[in-house]
Amino acid sequence: MMTYSIETNVNGRPRAAEVTARDTLLDVLRDHWDVFEVKNGCEQGDCGVCTVILSGKAVNACLTLAVQANGKDVVTAKGIGSPKEPHLLQTKFVEHGAIQCGFCTPGMLTSAKVLLDQNPKANRQEIREAIAGNLCRCTGYKKIVDAIEAAAAKPES
Amino acid sequence: MDNTEYLRPSNLKELGQIMAGHKNRATVIAGGTNLIPQMRNGGKSPELIVDIGDIQDFSFIMEDDGFISIGAATTIAEIASSDIVSTFSPILASSARELGNPLIRNRATIGGNLANASPCADTALPLLALDAVIRILSPGDKTRNVVLNNFFHGYRFTDLGKGEIITRIIFPKPDDETTGSQIKIGLRNAAAISVASIAVMLTMEGKICRKARIAAGSVAPIPMRVSRVEQLLENQEISATLLEQCKAIMKKEISPISDIRGSAEYRSYVTAVILERNIQRALS
């Protein structure tokens, strides 16, 4: 079996793995590195629960080969903030009740983080477009958009 | 099944060497958004993946000599946010903004969208209407150009031979008398696969249409030009009567199927509707 050595930086921590050419970044995050905040939903780019920030861009980990992430930085929801020091987005998600079952939340947060990095004062329409690749099967979109809008209105200084 | 090999050339020279040695077993990807799900569901098991996503020469949007050139590995997100594309080909910009979702647009590329040759390939329609040409790199460092209209041979079957790679897409800058419009019908606004889609470019001289380009997607085995409708429009004043004739011919020229996204009857009906709406928008 042909394998390849990859090294990435996940939330600031160097990680290495032996992977096959067919393994996705999602496979390696969950199965090799126990990065379970990156969820596995559809495995075909429809649901967005595996959204991570790869070299500054929000992408589906299931549509990225592990070998393609070699040498790159990966940020997940846990890399955005911690329970002790949550990111403003995370605080606003809690305040606005933007979490129902919570399965889509890590993906929503990573998509929203990239949006606000690029467009700190994003409006409602821009927010809706930015999370267009993230499904919430609880259909709690209104509160999610409310939370991101609240974070956008009061950017971190 | 895990015998797939992976190579990621970082420049054209390395790519040339790889393709010369492995042309019969190479599957080329840039983002990988088409291939990865196909491997996952067992449909495809490539011997060798050649990833051109790192080759800088394939990632650019350029404007010169009356032409726009876009590198094959340019992402859909880059095209969607490009000032050059928005200025000179707004229908390509808007179709790029409607492809997949923001996450997919960050990985998917224009070359991949065309090489995958799906009948619903979103960027194919504006590019057909813009008279785009595909530049192809063949083994032995040979280059050839193919008019996009001759690139799609059949359902997911293109003009690309063994070891060939799309390197760039080129189209002329439309002149001041030329305007366009593009409409994609999906089942929802975000992340939709098109049910039917049309792109139109019209060159007008006063009230007379001098040149028409009509491209239709998801209503035939390939993204197609609809020449008979183009001929009907050219050198005519675009009247309500002519539009009705165009709609009737349009329904005869396409061959939609029924699937989970829509019935053949609906596709036929809505294609005629968005043809008329596109022409009205282009002229307004």
Side-chain angles (χ1 to χ4, degrees), chain B residues 241-252:
Chain B
T241 322
L242 185 64
L243 280 180
E244 285 309 312
Q245 286 171 359
C246 288
K247 287 165 73 174
I249 296 293
M250 179 60 122
K251 289 183 184 177
K252 287 184 182 162

Side-chain angles (χ1 to χ4, degrees), chain A residues 46 132-135 141, chain B residues 101 184-193 195:
Chain A
D46 281 333
N134 299 86
L135 293 184
Y141 294 106
Chain B
N101 63 50
K184 167 179 170 176
I185 302 288
L187 295 183
R188 58 195 204 117
N189 287 336
I193 294 174
V195 174

Side-chain angles (χ1 to χ4, degrees), chain B residues 166-181:
Chain B
I166 301 175
T167 60
R168 65 173 66 187
I169 293 96
I170 308 152
F171 54 87
K173 276 189 220 167
D175 61 25
D176 291 344
E177 280 68 49
T178 303
T179 54
S181 172

Side-chain angles (χ1 to χ4, degrees), chain B residues 219 250-251 254 256 263-273:
Chain B
V219 289
M250 179 60 122
K251 289 183 184 177
I254 59 177
S263 66
E265 291 79 4
Y266 174 68
R267 285 195 161 97
S268 180
Y269 174 80
V270 81
T271 301
V273 171

Side-chain angles (χ1 to χ4, degrees), chain B residues 226-246:
Chain B
V226 193
S227 318
R228 281 193 64 204
V229 175
E230 294 173 358
Q231 288 156 13
L232 212 55
L233 288 164
E234 285 178 353
N235 300 314
Q236 300 294 324
E237 186 172 332
I238 298 176
S239 63
T241 322
L242 185 64
L243 280 180
E244 285 309 312
Q245 286 171 359
C246 288

Side-chain angles (χ1 to χ4, degrees), chain A residues 4 24 27 43 58 68 129, chain B residues 5-6 40 51 102 106-107:
Chain A
Y4 299 84
T24 63
D27 296 328
E43 289 188 285
Q68 291 179 308
E129 284 173 16
Chain B
E5 290 174 56
Y6 176 84
R40 174 74 53 181
D51 186 342
N106 278 335
R107 301 285 306 159

